[in-house]
Amino acid sequence: MSSTPGIAAGTTRSATIGRYLVIIGGVLAAVSSWLNWGAKTRELGIARTAYTIPAKFVIDNAAGPGSPGLSLGIVVLVLGVLVVAAAFAPGWKLTGLLLGAAVIVTAFLYVYQVRRVVHDANLGKSVRDFISIGPYLAVIGGLLAVVGAIVALIPPGFWSSLTSEEDAEEAGEKPAGGTGAQ
């Protein structure tokens, strides 16, 4: 009788851990959409959530607050939910990897556009003064999803095959006389 409940037959430990990392990463990405992405500054005013920033801003820094179209918060929320949903779908490893990378790219593009705005306006401040916790959390969530998918993609027995080869090499280097003391 097995003492490991909850693990389906044929599921490796790395796949289970990878799935949990993908889920946690998706949840963090979704939660980041509700947090502040733009910091409160004297130049820009109050802090901004991703829902007040147009999604078009990540590819065009001229699309500022009030621009028409879909908000960045909705895009990040949908990506986060898709990452979580991917963890339960067939082919979840590759899908989780790609969606996690999409979350990371979205957050990096946002930070890049903020950097361009700060640089073009010659504000004399760092980009870190104009961004808040949202992009950081989105990148962490995307990284967890990517790492989880990579961990799950590692074939079963990969690590043990590495250590068994090292053990065989070490055994071959020892002298045949036993302890090696003379």
Side-chain angles (χ1 to χ4, degrees):
M1 199 172 234
S2 176
S3 64
T4 56
I7 298 176
T11 302
T12 64
R13 177 177 282 170
S14 63
T16 303
I17 291 170
R19 187 182 306 263
Y20 285 135
L21 288 175
V22 169
I23 292 169
I24 292 168
V27 168
L28 288 178
V31 167
S32 76
S33 72
W34 288 299
L35 300 176
N36 289 337
W37 280 55
K40 178 181 177 183
T41 62
R42 187 171 40 107
E43 294 85 5
L44 298 176
I46 62 169
R48 294 164 317 285
T49 67
Y51 291 99
T52 61
I53 302 166
K56 186 178 179 183
F57 179 74
V58 297
I59 56 172
D60 179 17
N61 65 1
S67 295
L70 192 62
S71 76
L72 182 60
I74 292 173
V75 171
V76 173
L77 176 65
V78 167
L79 279 172
V81 169
L82 286 175
V83 169
V84 171
F88 301 102
W92 66 273
K93 297 170 188 174
L94 184 60
T95 307
L97 179 72
L98 294 175
L99 288 171
V103 170
I104 294 169
V105 167
T106 302
F108 271 115
L109 284 175
Y110 170 78
V111 173
Y112 174 74
Q113 293 297 355
V114 170
R115 188 203 66 78
R116 285 189 55 197
V117 168
V118 169
H119 184 278
D120 292 347
N122 202 13
L123 297 175
K125 290 189 172 186
S126 171
V127 171
R128 293 180 306 224
D129 296 330
F130 293 95
I131 59 174
S132 191
I133 190 72
Y136 293 114
L137 193 62
V139 167
I140 291 169
L143 283 174
L144 281 174
V146 167
V147 167
I150 290 172
V151 165
L153 285 169
I154 295 173
F158 176 77
W159 300 110
S160 62
S161 68
L162 289 178
T163 57
S164 64
E165 289 174 6
E166 290 173 359
D167 292 342
E169 288 175 4
E170 289 175 4
E173 293 175 1
K174 291 183 183 178
T179 63
Q182 297 188 5

